[in-house]
Amino acid sequence: MKLYSLSVLYKGEPKAVLLKAAYDVSSFSFFQRSSVQEFMTFTSQLIVERSAKGSRASVKEQEYLCHVYVRNDSLAGVVIADSEYPSRVAFTLLEKVLDEFSKQVDRIEWPVGSPATIHYTALDGHLSRYQNPREADPMTKVQAELDETKIILHNTMESLLERGEKLDDLVSKSEVLGTQSKAFYKTVSTGAGCSGHR
């Protein structure tokens, strides 16, 4: 079981703004790490942009699951984990992080913030503490609430896109992804799909 990234975003119109993120890309080869990290940012932004306010969803992509929670106030969180990681714990983590973030970071900063300007330092700690869901489980006080909440499950990233939209086109137009990452995407998407790297 593994958590790869934890990020806080603001769901702006039309773009999602990355406010803060933590990554664990140690399981990827050294040369893939920066591209993998850029893809996690790209994926997190795309999922938040395509999710409605007040919704929770899980998006399956190959052996990964991306869990997203967009609050009604446009603050959003995304956890990218492997498919074995329990989604209940992922959503508990998102709830906790967004609650904490909204208390520590002034709402005025959300629409204009960036990882460099937002002062919130807890993400790395949460990412490493929640690597073991059993350790984190005593913290699941919102579990009962979550069980009653409908979590939408999308089977692929493609299912989030609008009719006629292609993931390849979004990748090539992306400002988040560098040239190297776009080339990396092309090599893996022709072979094993967007995230078929190990």
Side-chain angles (χ1 to χ4, degrees):
M1 279 187 268
K2 183 103 183 115
L3 289 180
Y4 298 104
S5 84
L6 170 59
S7 42
V8 177
L9 303 95
Y10 176 77
K11 183 177 168 60
E13 294 303 333
K15 292 226 169 283
V17 182
L18 181 69
L19 300 178
K20 213 70 178 171
Y23 304 95
D24 181 346
V25 290
S26 57
S27 58
F28 296 92
S29 85
F30 178 77
F31 299 104
Q32 288 181 330
R33 287 178 190 171
S34 65
S35 291
V36 166
Q37 196 163 310
E38 282 183 9
F39 262 99
M40 288 181 187
T41 303
F42 168 78
T43 303
S44 300
Q45 286 178 306
L46 182 63
I47 292 172
V48 168
E49 284 162 14
R50 303 307 159 98
S51 299
K53 288 181 191 178
S55 70
R56 287 183 178 83
S58 295
V59 184
K60 190 163 174 26
E61 186 58 47
Q62 314 263 333
E63 69 267 35
Y64 303 98
L65 262 175
C66 309
H67 305 286
V68 60
Y69 172 33
V70 184
R71 299 195 330 181
N72 287 318
D73 61 6
S74 297
L75 196 62
V78 178
V79 162
I80 298 179
D82 64 16
S83 52
E84 289 164 27
Y85 196 89
S87 59
R88 181 175 50 79
V89 180
F91 282 106
T92 301
L93 171 59
L94 287 173
E95 185 106 23
K96 179 187 172 71
V97 164
L98 294 183
D99 190 43
E100 198 177 86
F101 185 92
S102 63
K103 288 183 180 130
Q104 289 181 26
V105 179
D106 198 317
R107 190 181 280 238
I108 312 163
E109 294 184 56
W110 301 354
V112 294
S114 74
T117 62
I118 296 286
H119 300 290
Y120 173 71
T121 54
L123 281 188
D124 287 303
H126 287 312
L127 188 66
S128 63
R129 193 171 321 116
Y130 274 80
Q131 286 297 345
N132 180 350
R134 278 178 294 282
E135 293 284 307
D137 236 0
M139 299 181 231
T140 55
K141 66 173 196 300
V142 277
Q143 177 188 345
E145 262 173 69
L146 287 178
D147 289 343
E148 291 157 30
T149 310
K150 191 162 162 273
I151 295 168
I152 308 151
L153 179 64
H154 299 282
N155 285 323
T156 60
M157 283 290 292
E158 300 279 352
S159 65
L160 277 179
L161 306 182
E162 287 162 29
R163 215 188 192 89
E165 251 186 334
K166 298 236 176 330
L167 196 54
D168 292 2
D169 299 342
L170 293 174
V171 166
S172 62
K173 284 188 233 159
S174 167
E175 295 154 25
V176 177
L177 300 170
T179 318
Q180 191 184 348
S181 296
K182 289 177 183 177
F184 170 73
Y185 170 79
K186 284 198 174 68
T187 61
V188 288
S189 67
T190 51
C194 167
S195 44
H197 40 66
R198 263 263 142 111

